[in-house]
Amino acid sequence: MSHGHSHGGGVCRCAAEQEEPPEQRGLAYALYLRIDLERCRCLNEEPRGQRPRRLQAVGGADRPLQGNVKLKGIIIMGEDDDSHPSEMRLYKNIPQMSFDDTDREPDQTFSLNRDLTGELEYATKISRFSNVYHLSIHISKNFGADTTKVFYIGLRGEWTELRRHEVTICNYEASANPADHRVHQVTPQTHFIS
């Protein structure tokens, strides 16, 4: 695979060369199991009976995560018409986000291409998404339809369990009390080598 540089005839060990085949790529999207579905919200949603959630109109999804995530990539699948999303904005660690909050600068914005099969992955800026416990996705545009249809959102990354740090009690001295610190007198000695 050509990825913009050469290795002078050597074997390439770049990450771009070691991409997983599409049939194994689904294993990397196991973050679905780490989404707290009880607290997941979808704004501006039009329910469709017993079908899975579907975003209708310009909408957003609020995804609380069970732990911390280093988010590396995202895929989004839609319809093969003008209802497919054309722009996606990501916001990290803003619980209870509403449409009023979309006026703030997103952590990352993506211009999307139509993807019916989930083969296009949008790489996130890992430096910005290295400690995510809450992800809000704002689908801000589509290709011109009145409603936006999203069939699947896949998140790829590394999950780590939340660790609760107990309080550590420390004593600090503002100024040292010499009586608390024993000092042994050291006599300097000089040795000559002849």
Side-chain angles (χ1 to χ4, degrees):
M1 171 188 300
S2 175
H3 51 272
H5 66 274
S6 76
H7 296 277
V11 177
C12 176
R13 298 203 191 309
C14 294
E17 287 292 330
Q18 298 174 11
E19 185 176 318
E20 297 166 341
E23 64 272 6
Q24 293 179 1
R25 193 178 310 155
L27 298 175
Y29 286 88
L31 289 179
Y32 175 77
L33 300 173
R34 303 301 181 183
I35 297 171
D36 186 352
L37 295 175
E38 296 296 318
R39 293 180 20 214
C40 190
R41 296 183 313 140
C42 185
L43 304 178
N44 210 10
E45 172 187 19
E46 180 182 300
R48 296 267 186 172
Q50 298 300 325
R51 290 185 180 182
R53 291 179 160 229
R54 227 179 241 201
L55 282 174
Q56 297 289 331
V58 176
D62 204 23
R63 294 177 164 234
L65 302 167
Q66 301 170 337
N68 286 328
V69 170
K70 181 188 289 186
L71 186 63
K72 296 181 176 182
I74 188 166
I75 59 175
I76 188 162
M77 293 169 40
E79 191 75 71
D80 188 19
D81 60 17
D82 288 347
S83 69
H84 192 290
S86 65
E87 184 177 85
M88 172 177 60
R89 303 167 75 198
L90 301 181
Y91 299 87
K92 73 171 191 168
N93 302 339
I94 307 173
Q96 303 299 320
M97 187 169 171
S98 69
F99 283 114
D100 294 335
D101 297 315
T102 60
D103 291 339
R104 67 174 51 179
E105 185 71 25
D107 290 294
Q108 192 165 358
T109 301
F110 296 96
S111 293
L112 304 176
N113 293 313
R114 288 190 174 113
D115 186 7
L116 312 177
T117 58
E119 293 182 15
L120 298 176
E121 178 180 321
Y122 300 93
T124 61
K125 297 175 184 172
I126 295 178
S127 62
R128 286 197 177 173
F129 292 93
S130 63
N131 191 22
V132 179
Y133 61 85
H134 194 278
L135 181 66
S136 297
I137 303 168
H138 179 222
I139 307 297
S140 51
K141 295 178 186 174
N142 63 26
F143 286 97
D146 291 336
T147 60
T148 300
K149 294 180 184 175
V150 175
F151 296 136
Y152 177 78
I153 297 173
L155 305 175
R156 184 176 64 85
E158 297 172 11
W159 176 82
T160 56
E161 186 175 1
L162 277 178
R163 291 191 175 88
R164 220 178 131 189
H165 296 285
E166 299 298 324
V167 175
T168 304
I169 299 173
C170 298
N171 293 322
Y172 295 98
E173 295 182 36
S175 62
N177 182 356
D180 292 341
H181 304 281
R182 291 188 173 218
V183 178
H184 297 288
Q185 186 67 22
V186 178
T187 307
Q189 296 180 1
T190 307
H191 298 280
F192 294 101
I193 299 176
S194 31

